[in-house]
Amino acid sequence: MIEITHLSKSFGDLRVLEDISLHINDGEIYGIIGQSGAGKSTLLRCINGLESYQEGSVKIDGQEVRSLSTKELHALQKQMGMIFQNFNLLSRLNVFDNVALPMRFAGLNPRKPENKQRILDLIELVGLSDKLKAKPRELSGGQKQRVAIARALVLNPRILLCDEATSALDPRITQGILSLLTKIRDEMGITVVVVTHQMEVVKQICERVSFLKDSRLIQEGRPEELFVMPNEDIRAFLGKIDEALPDTGRYIKLFFTENAFESEVISTMARELNVPFSICRANLEDFRGKILGSLVLNVRQADGDRVLQYLSDKNIIVEEGY
Ligand code: ADP
Ligand code: MG
């Protein structure tokens, strides 16, 4: 378990993290999202002890990171694998030797049968068994990140920290990497912390997420809680600008926060109330396999109250306007 309480950090006069509190459960896929410069990478580096901090506490399984001796810190860092946007592979080493590198640093011999087997198993897990001897320049971006993932896992960590791991990849390749991270969590039971500025990433794999803005944690919750009914800060972050709709009738916005089958309510309503309506905007998206989002209806002025009443009776979250 990662427990962060009232964490603050400055670089000189620059406050980079301000009173951050959050906890990450074992085996969870946890997101940290925010704009560039919000403090996400610094927060991640405080978790793995690469940065120190002035105030508050970062505890990994009850151990305060700041008060560890160098030896204890190295032991802790072995429990945490890390992957980055730019993969950080060594260009002169082939896939096998890149994955083996942390073993060499830890004084383990990668040619020893059980170590070699672990390396080969991980390379198979990430789907690169046919590339053992390939050098990084012969690999695509997605393949390079797969090598980096295998390398991050080679010392059998309990936590995998991902800093913008898919930011340099195109959307289709990103999908593959996200599925792989989910598979790793499911099969190995490790905790995955995902730092990103991409809502897509958080939506698809994170069970909970923190939104950081200007060094502060503004909101924490399930991705659907943050993004289906976004508050002003998150709307600004997502860059959602609502284009104007015609100035006739009444606009009613429905939120589907549990499952999209709720949206069947609209056709039932049309039948039961016998009111005409049009759908002006739909914003339905996939959250870890559940389709959630919002939908804007336009109804005649005179029908507005009945429609609002009907939907509230069906426990649909509604809001007038768009
Ligand atoms: P993010 O990962 O959200 O883009 P960072 O954690 O990298 O944000 O940076 C947060 C702020 O801290 C930025 O203003 C950045 O310029 C500053 N910063 C990061 N690392 C250092 C450092 N080593 N020295 C001074 N300032 C830094
Ligand atoms: Mg960063």
Side-chain angles (χ1 to χ4, degrees):
M1 168 122 126
I2 302 172
E3 283 172 286
I4 299 175
T5 34
H6 302 301
L7 173 70
S8 294
K9 171 167 182 73
S10 307
F11 287 111
D13 290 340
L14 181 69
R15 196 65 145 175
V16 181
L17 297 172
E18 180 74 53
D19 196 20
I20 306 277
S21 295
L22 60 91
H23 71 272
I24 302 173
N25 297 315
D26 289 341
E28 190 169 28
I29 304 186
Y30 191 95
I32 297 170
I33 192 168
Q35 237 141 25
S36 174
K40 307 180 295 295
S41 296
T42 307
L43 181 56
L44 212 59
R45 292 165 63 82
C46 287
I47 293 175
N48 73 1
L50 288 176
E51 289 286 356
S52 193
Y53 41 95
Q54 286 89 12
E55 289 162 49
S57 157
V58 179
K59 285 187 179 166
I60 314 290
D61 292 332
Q63 285 187 302
E64 181 70 47
V65 175
R66 185 172 48 171
S67 53
L68 296 177
S69 66
T70 311
K71 199 173 157 211
E72 289 168 328
L73 185 61
H74 284 158
L76 181 73
Q77 284 168 343
K78 271 191 219 158
Q79 307 271 330
M80 295 193 236
M82 188 142 180
I83 57 173
F84 305 90
Q85 178 168 353
N86 54 3
F87 325 123
N88 289 0
L89 301 181
L90 289 192
S91 57
R92 64 188 164 80
L93 297 184
N94 65 27
V95 167
F96 183 94
D97 290 328
N98 263 293
V99 174
L101 207 57
M103 278 190 180
R104 290 195 192 282
F105 286 140
L108 301 168
N109 180 359
R111 307 286 158 189
K112 221 173 138 182
E114 68 263 30
N115 293 341
K116 184 174 177 188
Q117 195 56 49
R118 168 136 191 98
I119 294 168
L120 294 174
D121 287 347
L122 284 169
I123 292 174
E124 188 183 345
L125 175 81
V126 302
L128 291 177
S129 294
D130 56 339
K131 300 279 183 198
L132 283 184
K133 299 274 174 228
K135 297 280 180 66
R137 65 172 176 276
E138 302 164 60
L139 302 174
S140 69
Q143 290 171 331
K144 284 182 204 166
Q145 193 59 292
R146 287 170 185 271
V147 178
I149 290 170
R151 183 184 55 186
L153 297 174
V154 79
L155 294 180
N156 216 357
R158 287 175 307 126
I159 302 173
L160 180 63
L161 305 173
C162 312
D163 194 349
E164 303 282 4
T166 56
S167 300
L169 304 174
D170 69 44
R172 195 174 51 82
I173 305 299
T174 293
Q175 287 292 335
I177 297 293
L178 296 180
S179 309
L180 178 59
L181 292 176
T182 306
K183 175 171 142 182
I184 286 165
R185 189 282 302 271
D186 293 348
E187 287 183 11
M188 300 182 170
I190 68 178
T191 310
V192 180
V193 185
V194 175
V195 157
T196 180
H197 68 279
Q198 299 171 295
M199 201 253 289
E200 297 306 306
V201 170
V202 163
K203 224 177 55 187
Q204 282 175 42
I205 64 166
C206 295
E207 287 143 341
R208 288 191 305 135
V209 58
S210 277
F211 174 68
L212 255 57
K213 184 188 176 207
D214 301 337
S215 325
R216 292 173 186 275
L217 196 164
I218 302 280
Q219 207 184 346
E220 188 193 30
R222 292 184 298 138
E224 42 274 48
E225 289 168 337
L226 270 69
F227 298 119
V228 173
M229 296 177 70
N231 68 20
E232 215 167 295
D233 282 320
I234 293 181
R235 284 166 73 87
F237 165 71
L238 297 174
K240 289 226 158 121
I241 302 160
D242 291 337
E243 70 276 28
L245 291 171
D247 191 16
T248 54
R250 282 166 75 175
Y251 289 97
I252 294 171
K253 188 167 189 178
L254 293 72
F255 295 96
F256 304 114
T257 56
E258 292 301 324
N259 69 71
F261 291 117
E262 293 171 303
S263 64
E264 284 181 4
V265 75
I266 301 166
S267 49
T268 320
M269 176 185 79
R271 261 199 322 275
E272 291 184 11
L273 298 186
N274 194 24
V275 293
F277 65 87
S278 48
I279 295 175
C280 306
R281 185 177 291 140
N283 187 14
L284 295 172
E285 292 176 295
D286 186 349
F287 287 83
R288 305 188 306 290
K290 280 195 292 180
I291 308 298
L292 306 173
S294 61
L295 211 123
V296 177
L297 302 183
N298 184 269
V299 299
R300 292 181 308 207
Q301 198 66 36
D303 294 332
D305 289 344
R306 280 169 70 220
V307 168
L308 280 170
Q309 187 61 50
Y310 181 92
L311 293 170
S312 317
D313 288 348
K314 301 281 177 200
N315 293 320
I316 303 292
I317 304 170
V318 285
E319 184 173 275
E320 183 133 20
Y322 57 83

